[in-house]
Amino acid sequence: MKRIDFNKGWKFRLQGEDKQKDITLPHDAQIGMERSKDAPGGSGHGYFPGGIYEYEKNFEVPQEWTGKSIALLFNGVYKDAEVYLNGTCIEKHYYGYTPFTVELKNLIIGKINQIKVIADNEKLPNARWYTGGGIYRPVTLLIGEDNHILWQGVKITTLSINPAKIRIESATSKEDGSILVQIKDTEGNLVTEQRGRDVEAEITSAHLWSAENPYLYECHVSLMENQTVCDEEHISFGIRELKWSTDGFFVNGENTLLRGGCVHHDHGIIGARSFPESEERRIRILKEVGFNALRISHNPASTACIEACDKLGMYVMDETFDMWYNRKNPYDYGNNFEECWQSDTRAMVERDYNHPSVILYSIGNEVAEPAEQKGIEIGKEQIDFIHNIDSTRPVTCGVNLMVIGRAAKGNGIYQDGNQNISAAKEDKKKEASNGSLAFNIMATFIGSGMNKGGNSKKVDAISTPFVDSLDIAGYNYGSGRYPLEGTAHPNRIIFGSETFPQDICKNWNMVKKYPYLIGDFMWTAWDYLGEAGLGAWSYTGGMPFNRPYPWLLAGAGVIDILGNPDASCRYAATVWGLNRKPVIAVQPVNHPGVRVSKSVWRGTNAVESWSWRNCDGNKAVVEVYSDAASVELFINGKSFGKKRIKDCKAVYKTKYRKGKIEAVVYDVSGKEIARNYLESANEKVKVAVIPEKKTVKAEEICYINLEIQDEKGILESNDDRKLEVNVINGELLGFGSANPCTEENYCDGRFTTYLGRAQAIVRTGKSGKVVIRVSDEGMISEEHIEIV
């Protein structure tokens, strides 16, 4: 079917308000709302309020649409969406993360028609993190003849790789007509041509898809009637084969270890809005720093995210749900699970089918239901349901063995009110704090000991019926079981589906040692909104969970919301063997005498900076990461001694002195291998305006980084100032920093830098130059971006 962008010309209002606002989708209605300490979603939702959001679009239906098949494709509406055509409700869709189509059967031809969408995100908490709200993913109009290729009606399956054979199945609305299938390479050359609704084709000298070599072919499917094309589909796909056993996980026959991270769906300062440019940028950065796999947590990814992973080469575990029929919060998807899980699971799996980046389907995260027989059965039902749609990929689940063990004893960790209750027991529904709270409290006090929470024989016996029904078992904070499974469960394949970043060295050594342990996914690869303060190290006191307003960010990502990797990220890359030079990271030195409140989700708050204005003489903790045997640290040329490197890390406790810090690493014989250094910025610094692209397309989403730098481009980490951004010939979508605790707003164009950095995200105009103008206490900095 023909696809038409349907994102422009919408009007939005918050229900209860009279004034409408002109907007372009995608749109997050929640990100611009005023936060408060009394917001019912609490820290889990980042202290944002909920609301009911109304969207309207008027559009003309031309005469030539007569007799056509017309539908709208919504890629994501959060949540409880109702779609109206000319005042009549024609569709309801409850889950906020799955795509859905709405047939427009009663359009008035030759007249102005109206689409109205109501998204009900009023009752909070309805998730354990910031969700955003409204039509936050794109909308597309689908138009085809009465006889057309069905949406997601083409399935492409790799049958073998040597020789490379694929199967192409095409489903149409009617049996009339014939199907022409053409396969083209990345240069557009015709590779093979077949006719039929279910055909097989052999690709000679095929390029195989992998994260290392993400080669994509294009399949052109044409529906022909009387030698005329009446519909067509163009689908990118990769030729890729998966196999798994206790010997490992094999992509195209190559044993593949998953260097993974978990990610939520929001994009920081623009909230939940999903733009293709934003999704691709995130995947590019994640790959550049060393990740080769992502767990989409804990909901289906956007289509744009999956497409970016196909293009750039990133393995994906796509996940259906955070909860099943037991709610983790009073108003979450647990209320709809038993009615909707099949349709929402189908929507994800059918959408993912042709995408080579998707290598695993996950049916849940830390669900307690497998502690009872009903839960075991519903788990197996989901697994079988997915296998019936797609038998080429393994099914997994993020299993927390301790959660299941405690639930079996009546001590549920995720709680709705005072206990885990079925969605059917409406009479017991209570207002409750966010469902993450009990788990985060427990994790904070138990610490890394949680990794051994599933080691007992009792917990093993309780969890085994469900775990052994999975193709591959994901363990959340269960690394204590890794060495045991080869003997206890010799047929079980496992991976760390959620782990502490600071445990990466220990975990990765086990991944390399045990062939049945196929990878590690840390929490988290990228920081996110909500679960406020979960992973942040705080200098203002308090427990590292459920932090009070104005805490906003989780502070748990090894990459901040702007896309800047921190020391934990560099440490992981070192452990993975990707850094040749040593990495120097410094815990902030600008809080002398203040005791830091640490989090179990972060082993350090260090950053790659030796530029802390007015901090000379303050205590400094310097971390050096390397896989060498030893390291020697120099500050302004003075040696502070050699240290043995253990678990790829050495720690020095010294004092900050402005100038140059250098690390030299040596092999076991004492021979120098490599060196690296950091320098302090000079006294004279200014705001540098740094567009990530100097030329852009019309109406493209572009990122502009703002940094406090000296004339040599050295970042100053302790001279933050409030900036104001104005955009000429473009729209400022968001402006902010990675400060996890702030009352500032991402939507008003004014924000204070954090550790010397801020960021603006802009939608460019249609032609000419975009001007980014930054005001710093009267000093103006300006940068131009050319639209081509």
Side-chain angles (χ1 to χ4, degrees):
M1 300 179 77
K2 184 179 179 182
R3 287 161 169 76
I4 299 175
D5 185 304
F6 207 67
N7 294 309
K8 295 180 180 179
W10 288 83
K11 293 185 179 295
F12 164 80
R13 70 168 183 167
L14 185 66
Q15 193 173 85
E17 295 182 355
D18 294 329
K19 189 176 180 180
Q20 288 184 318
K21 179 182 178 182
D22 293 329
I23 62 159
T24 298
L25 302 179
H27 173 256
D28 181 355
Q30 197 171 28
I31 193 66
M33 298 180 73
E34 184 176 350
R35 300 163 63 231
S36 72
K37 64 180 180 179
D38 300 320
S43 62
H45 284 259
Y47 298 99
F48 282 93
I52 299 176
Y53 318 123
E54 296 184 358
Y55 297 84
E56 293 179 358
K57 176 174 172 128
N58 296 326
F59 64 106
E60 187 173 357
V61 178
Q63 292 291 338
E64 51 264 34
W65 286 11
T66 302
K68 304 277 189 182
S69 176
I70 302 171
L72 282 177
L73 166 60
F74 292 89
N75 280 283
V77 182
Y78 199 90
K79 62 184 269 294
D80 293 354
E82 296 181 351
V83 182
Y84 294 80
L85 174 61
N86 298 325
T88 300
C89 183
I90 58 174
E91 183 70 24
K92 294 183 178 181
H93 187 83
Y94 297 109
Y95 198 29
Y97 297 106
T98 43
F100 62 99
T101 57
V102 182
E103 292 187 54
L104 305 183
K105 292 183 177 179
N106 296 309
L107 289 168
I108 304 172
I109 302 298
K111 301 289 185 180
I112 299 295
N113 289 247
Q114 184 188 79
I115 291 291
K116 182 176 182 178
V117 178
I118 299 176
D120 187 349
N121 188 36
E122 184 174 39
K123 293 180 179 179
L124 303 181
N126 56 43
R128 296 186 298 113
W129 56 85
Y130 176 86
T131 60
I135 311 177
Y136 70 101
R137 291 176 178 171
V139 180
T140 303
L141 187 68
L142 308 176
I143 301 180
E145 301 296 332
D146 186 36
N147 187 17
H148 59 272
I149 302 168
L150 297 179
W151 177 64
Q152 295 184 168
V154 178
K155 291 175 61 177
I156 305 167
T157 308
T158 298
L159 301 176
S160 65
I161 58 171
N162 190 19
K165 288 185 178 179
I166 59 173
R167 179 185 182 187
I168 306 99
E169 302 167 83
S170 304
T172 57
S173 57
K174 294 184 176 182
E175 292 299 316
D176 301 339
S178 60
I179 293 290
L180 172 66
V181 176
Q182 296 176 310
I183 305 299
K184 297 186 178 183
D185 64 18
T186 191
E187 286 81 31
N189 301 311
L190 183 65
V191 174
T192 186
E193 184 175 284
Q194 303 284 335
R195 291 184 181 272
R197 282 178 163 78
D198 189 345
V199 299
E200 294 183 7
E202 182 171 327
I203 311 298
T204 58
S205 303
H207 300 275
L208 303 182
W209 188 98
S210 67
E212 295 73 29
N213 297 289
Y215 191 95
L216 292 173
Y217 289 89
E218 190 164 277
C219 177
H220 291 199
V221 178
S222 301
L223 174 59
M224 314 288 292
E225 286 187 348
N226 301 320
Q227 305 301 313
T228 301
V229 176
C230 62
D231 197 11
E232 57 184 350
E233 290 285 343
H234 295 180
I235 298 134
S236 292
F237 73 98
I239 301 173
R240 190 265 296 124
E241 180 183 72
L242 301 177
K243 291 185 177 180
W244 54 95
S245 70
T246 52
D247 292 327
F249 189 80
F250 299 87
V251 179
N252 303 327
E254 295 290 328
N255 194 1
T256 301
L257 304 181
L258 302 177
R259 305 189 303 271
C262 303
V263 294
H264 273 315
H265 69 290
D266 76 75
H267 286 278
I269 64 176
I270 56 171
R273 280 179 284 188
S274 176
F275 296 101
E277 298 93 332
S278 301
E279 303 284 7
E280 185 169 319
R281 175 182 182 269
R282 173 151 64 185
I283 301 307
R284 174 178 54 78
I285 291 172
L286 286 161
K287 185 165 185 177
E288 287 173 351
V289 300
F291 291 96
N292 71 353
L294 296 181
R295 178 189 180 194
I296 310 301
S297 311
H298 303 287
N299 46 259
S302 70
T303 300
C305 174
I306 299 295
E307 290 174 344
C309 292
D310 290 344
K311 176 182 176 180
L312 299 178
M314 181 70 72
Y315 299 121
V316 174
M317 174 171 65
D318 213 2
E319 192 156 73
T320 50
F321 314 114
D322 184 46
M323 73 297 292
W324 291 354
Y325 54 82
N326 281 348
R327 295 189 294 265
K328 294 180 178 178
N329 289 285
Y331 307 108
D332 67 24
Y333 182 76
N335 292 301
N336 310 110
F337 175 84
E338 293 186 282
E339 175 188 355
C340 300
W341 75 260
Q342 289 190 356
S343 60
D344 286 317
T345 299
R346 179 180 294 279
M348 184 190 84
V349 175
E350 289 186 346
R351 189 278 308 274
D352 290 351
Y353 192 93
N354 293 329
H355 293 281
S357 59
V358 179
I359 60 169
L360 282 159
Y361 296 124
S362 171
I363 59 173
N365 172 66
E366 291 183 346
V367 290
E369 286 88 338
E372 61 183 16
Q373 188 59 36
K374 177 183 176 181
I376 295 170
E377 291 172 359
I378 196 70
K380 291 180 178 179
E381 197 175 335
Q382 291 177 78
I383 295 166
D384 291 341
F385 184 82
I386 291 175
H387 284 162
N388 286 333
I389 304 172
D390 183 356
S391 62
T392 70
R393 294 173 172 94
V395 177
T396 186
C397 183
V399 178
N400 191 308
L401 300 168
M402 185 175 63
V403 167
I404 293 176
R406 288 176 60 95
K409 295 189 293 184
N411 298 320
I413 293 173
Y414 289 113
Q415 297 181 348
D416 179 9
N418 294 322
Q419 59 182 338
N420 280 5
I421 56 176
S422 169
K425 299 178 181 177
E426 291 296 320
D427 57 313
K428 293 187 178 180
K429 184 183 288 186
K430 296 182 179 181
E431 294 291 330
S433 58
N434 187 278
S436 293
L437 181 58
F439 179 80
N440 294 342
I441 292 173
M442 180 200 67
T444 296
F445 285 105
I446 297 176
S448 60
M450 185 165 58
N451 289 318
K452 299 180 180 179
N455 284 16
S456 75
K457 291 183 179 180
K458 282 188 176 181
V459 172
D460 187 31
I462 292 166
S463 59
T464 285
F466 172 63
V467 171
D468 278 350
S469 67
L470 298 164
D471 298 313
I472 301 175
Y475 287 175
N476 283 18
Y477 310 105
S479 60
R481 287 215 60 89
Y482 296 173
L484 307 178
E485 302 302 53
T487 300
H489 301 283
N491 296 319
R492 188 176 290 181
I493 314 166
I494 63 173
F495 66 97
S497 45
E498 200 167 309
T499 62
F500 298 119
Q502 63 268 26
D503 290 346
I504 185 61
C505 189
K506 176 183 68 177
N507 290 342
W508 198 248
N509 285 336
M510 288 190 282
V511 169
K512 292 187 291 184
K513 180 177 181 179
Y514 303 115
Y516 55 82
L517 178 60
I518 65 170
D520 176 273
F521 288 76
M522 67 177 66
W523 190 265
T524 59
W526 198 283
D527 203 17
Y528 56 97
L529 299 165
E531 285 197 305
L534 170 75
W537 284 26
S538 172
Y539 294 93
T540 58
M543 296 300 292
F545 56 84
N546 201 35
R547 291 198 190 272
Y549 177 85
W551 280 86
L552 170 60
L553 307 180
V558 301
I559 300 173
D560 70 22
I561 63 166
L562 308 186
N564 300 302
D566 73 358
S568 297
C569 186
R570 301 304 192 194
Y571 180 52
T574 300
V575 170
W576 293 329
L578 304 177
N579 286 333
R580 188 184 69 83
K581 292 183 177 181
V583 176
I584 305 169
V586 182
Q587 295 181 19
V589 303
N590 55 348
H591 301 279
V594 179
R595 184 176 179 179
V596 63
S597 171
K598 299 180 180 180
S599 166
V600 68
W601 273 274
R602 297 298 298 278
T604 184
N605 65 343
V607 294
E608 292 177 277
S609 175
W610 191 247
S611 189
W612 303 89
R613 178 168 292 190
N614 301 323
C615 290
D616 277 54
N618 290 357
K619 291 181 179 180
V621 178
V622 179
E623 304 174 21
V624 181
Y625 312 137
S626 174
D627 57 5
S630 62
V631 60
E632 185 173 10
L633 189 72
F634 297 86
I635 299 178
N636 297 329
K638 179 183 177 180
S639 173
F640 282 77
K642 282 187 178 182
K643 288 199 174 190
R644 184 170 69 91
I645 296 173
K646 182 180 180 181
D647 293 336
C648 294
K649 181 192 297 185
V651 178
Y652 288 83
K653 293 184 179 180
T654 182
K655 290 186 177 182
Y656 175 75
R657 298 167 180 83
K658 180 180 177 180
K660 179 179 179 181
I661 187 170
E662 187 169 25
V664 182
V665 292
Y666 307 90
D667 64 18
V668 291
S669 69
K671 180 181 178 181
E672 180 180 330
I673 299 173
R675 60 176 60 206
N676 206 356
Y677 67 92
L678 299 172
E679 288 184 301
S680 305
N682 294 328
E683 287 299 316
K684 188 176 181 180
V685 294
K686 64 177 183 178
V687 178
V689 183
I690 311 168
E692 292 187 353
K693 296 174 70 174
K694 297 292 287 185
T695 58
V696 296
K697 297 177 182 177
E699 299 181 303
E700 183 175 341
I701 308 301
C702 58
Y703 283 71
I704 299 95
N705 296 311
L706 311 179
E707 295 188 356
I708 311 300
Q709 294 182 352
D710 69 5
E711 71 278 5
K712 294 187 294 184
I714 297 174
L715 179 75
E716 172 55 56
S717 299
N718 196 40
D719 190 17
D720 289 317
R721 66 273 306 267
K722 191 161 190 172
L723 306 177
E724 182 173 348
V725 171
N726 289 285
V727 179
I728 301 171
N729 193 26
E731 178 188 0
L732 181 65
L733 299 177
F735 175 52
S737 76
N739 188 349
C741 182
T742 178
E743 292 190 270
E744 295 177 297
N745 188 300
Y746 297 136
C747 300
D748 65 10
R750 295 179 297 276
F751 219 93
T752 303
T753 60
Y754 181 68
L755 296 177
R757 291 187 169 108
Q759 185 177 81
I761 304 177
V762 171
R763 188 189 344 250
T764 66
K766 294 182 178 180
S767 61
K769 290 184 178 180
V770 180
V771 180
I772 313 298
R773 186 169 294 159
V774 181
S775 174
D776 169 21
E777 297 178 352
M779 300 293 293
I780 303 296
S781 301
E782 191 171 285
E783 189 66 43
H784 295 186
I785 302 173
E786 190 77 28
I787 301 173
V788 296

